[in-house]
Amino acid sequence: MENNEYTASSIKVLKDLEGVRKRPAMYIGDTSKRGLHHLIFEVVDNSIDEAMSGYCDKINVTVEEDNSVVVIDNGRGIPIDLHKEENKPAVEVVMTTLHAGGKFDSNIYKVSGGLHGIGVSVVNALSSWLKVEIARDGYLWTQSYERGKAVTELKKGAVRKTTGTKVSFYPDPEIFDKIEFSREYLDERLRELAFLNKGLKIELDFKPEGKVESFQYKGGIKEFIEYLDKNKNPIHRHPIYINKAVNSCVIEVALQFNDSYTENIFSYANNIRTIEGGTHLSGFKSALTRSINQYAKSQNVISSKDPKITGNDIREGLTAVVSVKLPQPQFEGQTKTRLGDREVEGLVASVVGDGVSEYLDRDPQAAKKIINQSIVAARSRVAAQKARDITRRKSALDSANLPGKLADCSSRDPKKSEIFIVEGDSAGGSAKQGRDRTIQAVLPLRGKLLNVEKTRLNKVLGNITISTLISSLGVGIGKEDFDYSKLRYHKVIIMTDADIDGAHIRTLLLTYFFRYAREIIEKGNLFIAHPPLYQVSDGKKKRWAYTEREKEKAIEEIGGDKARVQRFKGLGEMNPSQLWETTMNPDHRILRRVSIEDAIEADRMFDILMGNAVEPRKDFILANAQFVENLDI
Ligand code: 0RA
């Protein structure tokens, strides 16, 4: 009987993990870059759980030369005692059963194994080998697995006084497209985790590049703010920092105002980025609005002619991080990244209200600057509203009233339609003649495009080039006006020259989309055209080359000595049929889709590119590569 039971449960375990191998995407999202990195983050999340419960203060991540991974923490160690029902050591159950972690676990702020965490057994199932080493109960214990199955017993080794867990694994090449980790990708998430878990030391030893990095922030998210705003000018010295535990909820908030016009709030629940916001974020916003208004009123600084200060006014130039930790967070929304727990809203609002009011009372000079900035924002909002009304009247967003420069397509189906945003009139002319006019619209941009990063909304709207763009796309601008559902083309393609001016215009356009029409990027509608770099010919045969390698190949094919190589400088050098053939024809063109992989880095990048700090701009080319991925050939 005993024996039978044991066998039955083993079979169930086996079936579980086989399911993971059959449908890995169900557990880790995909089997490309993101899913691969998820394996490391899953193991790290388990260590983070130990840290959040106060048992661990150091995590080491090593990526070896061969891209195997080692994660070491100094937590309590995975329990090794016998699990009665399964008749196996607890660690083996944790490693070979889906979501087994929770059963043993007393950690209250768990992230792993929950809705987002997948459980370390999934990492085991998707690794060709995995080895766990545990220091616990006075000894070192080890067990090895292959593709999710134990291949050794749990072995008791040398005497050890310390505690901790070491998990080493190699992602299974049968599952993953490519086994190669990206240091930048790991870097960003590990740094973020270190900010969110004050004092925790996380080390990344990335052997393929011979680079070791250490993240530890005694100031927690206060230092996160300083990191985010490195290239901005704060209007008061130190971030406002609030850290309080109420009931079983830990609330940590840091905020600082700078002289830019953008709002930049990152919210988290149990270290998970809540992209869709939720109750913690709304509690934060309402408390901030209330405290600032209350203070302004008490100081009698608002004249009767001034408009009422709204939340949006206050949040102009605000950078904030809102991080809450709670026992069982409820995640809602399309991507399960909105915190749903109702009671959190009031808790955060009361903690933030007290904290902000106290700060304003204590530092009247900073308070004055913050209030002033809000008043100016409110005034220019009213001015912007007027400008917006004018823009709307001038160029109503229906197709009957599109800007003159736009050569529209005949299709009215956004799913099939594309718009090429082209630099300069001559390239614009070629594009208009060369295009497929049923589905391709062309908008030539003339004159200087406004640097939206340095400009307030009403001025952005007054700028003729931007308003032509907005009315062509059909989407409107500004927090209240933007409407994705009105987008008239589902492929928005930026087509600029491959020179410095082209790069500049492209960056300005990207900034506009990032700041004012981010949904177009997020939904995957923004692309960059990729004209060829060279033409190789012998006078008769002609080849286009898009990369250095293609150029070499073309030279070979055309016959070495006879081949003449011409570098393409501008789109204007192509006639309409060449432009169509090389860059616009959906059958052979290369489009690169613009993506925002990491909003934190994207934001910093646009500050660097467009903001005031000159020095970091040198990194431009490097950083830019991150946001544009090859796709859609
Ligand atoms: C189950 C229960 C406990 C800890 C862990 C798992 C644990 C898992 C991992 C994975 C990597 N590092 C880890 N550290 C701990 C709780 C142990 C207890 O109550 O003593």
Side-chain angles (χ1 to χ4, degrees):
M1 191 65 206
E2 262 293 340
N3 224 350
N4 273 351
E5 252 175 48
Y6 177 51
T7 316
S9 62
S10 313
I11 289 168
K12 189 187 158 291
V13 168
L14 213 118
K15 272 213 331 245
D16 264 331
L17 290 190
E18 258 164 24
V20 175
R21 290 181 58 82
K22 277 213 187 89
R23 284 186 200 78
M26 252 184 69
Y27 299 87
I28 54 167
D30 60 48
T31 52
S32 54
K33 183 176 171 184
R34 188 182 292 264
L36 180 74
H37 288 75
H38 205 119
L39 298 184
I40 298 188
F41 298 138
E42 179 53 39
V43 179
V44 169
D45 276 351
N46 282 273
S47 306
I48 294 275
D49 284 346
E50 288 290 287
M52 282 202 285
S53 306
Y55 297 105
C56 162
D57 64 5
K58 194 166 183 308
I59 302 171
N60 277 52
V61 179
T62 305
V63 175
E64 304 286 0
E65 287 286 357
D66 68 351
N67 281 289
S68 63
V69 179
V70 184
V71 179
I72 303 175
D73 69 57
N74 65 351
R76 286 169 294 181
I78 306 177
I80 44 82
D81 50 311
L82 198 74
H83 184 269
K84 294 241 172 53
E85 282 155 52
E86 303 274 356
N87 197 28
K88 283 177 197 167
V91 53
E92 187 173 339
V93 179
V94 168
M95 284 298 175
T96 58
T97 318
L98 271 179
H99 305 304
K103 289 185 204 155
F104 307 89
D105 222 327
S106 50
N107 291 338
I108 65 163
Y109 306 121
K110 254 176 94 60
V111 272
S112 64
L115 201 51
H116 287 81
I118 45 172
V120 73
S121 61
V122 171
V123 179
N124 193 17
L126 301 177
S127 295
S128 50
W129 59 263
L130 182 145
K131 184 176 175 188
V132 61
E133 293 160 82
I134 298 157
R136 195 181 160 113
D137 301 343
Y139 293 92
L140 192 67
W141 310 79
T142 53
Q143 188 168 32
S144 298
Y145 311 82
E146 283 171 16
R147 304 200 158 92
K149 292 174 195 159
V151 292
T152 68
E153 308 258 278
L154 179 68
K155 287 186 197 136
K156 182 175 173 179
V159 169
R160 268 295 158 91
K161 291 236 162 58
T162 55
T163 64
T165 305
K166 173 176 171 182
V167 178
S168 319
F169 64 95
Y170 187 71
D172 192 347
E174 288 176 11
I175 304 281
F176 294 96
D177 307 339
K178 191 167 97 184
I179 296 165
E180 197 179 293
F181 288 100
S182 142
R183 193 179 55 77
E184 283 85 9
Y185 201 91
L186 295 171
D187 226 66
E188 277 158 25
R189 177 62 180 156
L190 295 178
R191 181 188 294 110
E192 186 180 38
L193 283 168
F195 281 128
L196 292 167
N197 296 277
K198 191 151 83 165
L200 173 65
K201 185 168 181 177
I202 306 181
E203 240 169 51
L204 174 62
D205 183 353
F206 197 82
K207 295 262 161 69
E209 289 176 20
K211 193 159 178 184
V212 184
E213 273 164 298
S214 181
F215 308 113
Q216 185 180 33
Y217 305 102
K218 300 252 156 72
I221 58 170
K222 191 161 119 192
E223 284 190 66
F224 198 175
I225 296 285
E226 285 158 357
Y227 174 81
L228 288 166
D229 279 4
K230 191 167 154 235
N231 306 304
K232 291 184 173 142
N233 307 312
I235 61 169
H236 54 112
R237 262 287 269 306
H238 302 291
I240 305 172
Y241 178 69
I242 300 157
N243 186 10
K244 213 165 176 177
V246 256
N247 302 342
S248 50
C249 187
V250 180
I251 297 163
E252 204 184 350
V253 174
L255 60 148
Q256 188 167 34
F257 292 88
N258 59 67
D259 69 357
S260 81
Y261 306 113
T262 46
E263 168 186 330
N264 202 7
I265 309 178
F266 293 97
S267 69
Y268 299 84
N270 291 22
N271 295 326
I272 293 161
R273 174 93 191 280
T274 38
I275 296 164
E276 297 173 276
T279 49
H280 53 339
L281 184 62
S282 47
F284 166 76
K285 285 183 177 175
S286 65
L288 184 67
T289 307
R290 190 155 24 90
S291 304
I292 300 262
N293 268 305
Q294 251 167 24
Y295 185 86
K297 214 171 189 180
S298 74
Q299 299 296 305
N300 281 323
V301 286
I302 300 176
S303 92
S304 56
K305 288 187 303 235
D306 275 321
K308 197 174 161 300
I309 303 175
T310 67
N312 279 335
D313 298 335
I314 290 166
R315 295 193 299 274
E316 251 191 43
L318 170 71
T319 298
V321 176
V322 178
S323 167
V324 296
K325 287 168 185 162
L326 56 155
Q328 253 145 16
Q330 298 303 308
F331 291 102
E332 303 171 343
Q334 236 181 14
T335 53
K336 294 273 179 236
T337 57
R338 184 174 71 236
L339 184 67
D341 303 71
R342 302 289 359 154
E343 68 281 8
V344 173
E345 183 157 3
L347 293 179
V348 172
S350 120
V351 169
V352 171
D354 291 350
V356 170
S357 298
E358 196 189 308
Y359 177 91
L360 297 173
D361 286 334
R362 225 186 20 227
D363 192 343
Q365 264 173 335
K368 199 172 155 195
K369 285 186 190 146
I370 294 167
I371 303 285
N372 244 345
Q373 177 155 304
S374 299
I375 296 173
V376 172
R379 287 180 194 149
S380 58
R381 167 174 50 83
V382 173
Q385 188 58 49
K386 283 183 192 145
R388 192 152 40 218
D389 291 344
I390 293 164
T391 309
R392 220 186 263 136
R393 247 176 284 133
K394 265 206 305 228
S395 54
L397 301 179
D398 60 274
S399 52
N401 207 350
L402 286 163
K405 282 195 282 178
L406 173 74
D408 207 1
C409 55
S410 52
S411 164
R412 285 288 164 268
D413 179 358
K415 284 197 206 67
K416 293 197 185 111
S417 308
E418 312 178 341
I419 182 170
F420 284 82
I421 304 169
V422 189
E423 161 196 8
D425 278 339
S426 76
S430 290
K432 279 182 192 177
Q433 286 175 51
R435 71 189 165 131
D436 171 355
R437 59 185 62 232
T438 56
I439 57 157
Q440 296 181 323
V442 173
L443 177 69
L445 288 184
R446 202 182 326 155
K448 239 178 100 188
L449 198 76
L450 204 66
N451 182 348
V452 292
E453 198 74 350
K454 282 186 177 170
T455 317
R456 189 168 250 133
L457 187 61
N458 57 342
K459 218 165 138 211
V460 171
L461 284 159
N463 178 272
I464 183 71
T465 313
I466 293 274
S467 66
T468 324
L469 178 57
I470 297 166
S471 37
S472 302
L473 296 176
V475 289
I477 195 177
K479 286 201 180 84
E480 300 87 14
D481 265 23
F482 183 83
D483 185 353
Y484 174 82
S485 70
K486 296 222 175 88
L487 182 62
R488 301 178 60 246
Y489 315 91
H490 281 191
K491 282 204 171 80
V492 178
I493 303 164
I494 299 173
M495 187 160 75
T496 55
D497 286 344
D499 59 7
I500 297 285
D501 284 345
H504 186 64
I505 290 173
R506 191 171 63 221
T507 307
L508 287 170
L509 283 167
L510 284 173
T511 311
Y512 157 73
F513 283 104
F514 183 74
R515 290 290 180 221
Y516 292 108
R518 196 173 297 183
E519 219 175 325
I520 294 178
I521 304 182
E522 285 168 349
K523 297 250 161 80
N525 300 116
L526 186 62
F527 297 85
I528 289 176
H530 197 66
L533 291 173
Y534 302 100
Q535 186 181 59
V536 183
S537 81
D538 62 356
K540 279 178 275 168
K541 275 180 284 179
K542 274 187 189 161
R543 289 283 149 76
W544 306 102
Y546 295 83
T547 61
E548 296 298 320
R549 241 186 60 205
E550 277 181 23
K551 178 188 75 179
E552 297 306 325
K553 228 176 90 192
I555 293 174
E556 231 169 77
E557 276 173 24
I558 280 186
D561 296 347
K562 279 186 283 165
R564 266 188 310 122
V565 180
Q566 197 192 349
R567 202 192 152 86
F568 253 121
K569 283 188 224 78
L571 298 166
E573 288 179 22
M574 283 188 252
N575 64 40
S577 73
Q578 287 173 328
L579 190 60
W580 160 256
E581 239 0 274
T582 60
T583 316
M584 297 176 78
N585 182 348
D587 294 339
H588 353 275
R589 70 182 178 200
I590 297 176
L591 291 186
R592 295 182 298 161
R593 175 175 273 152
V594 178
S595 69
I596 313 174
E597 283 222 324
D598 189 301
I600 295 171
E601 292 310 311
D603 195 80
R604 280 163 52 84
M605 184 190 87
F606 283 114
D607 286 340
I608 290 166
L609 290 177
M610 296 303 184
N612 300 314
V614 177
E615 183 57 23
R617 246 173 258 198
K618 283 190 277 187
D619 296 337
F620 163 47
I621 306 285
L622 225 151
N624 201 21
Q626 232 187 305
F627 300 97
V628 182
E629 61 187 44
N630 269 312
L631 198 92
D632 223 67
I633 304 207

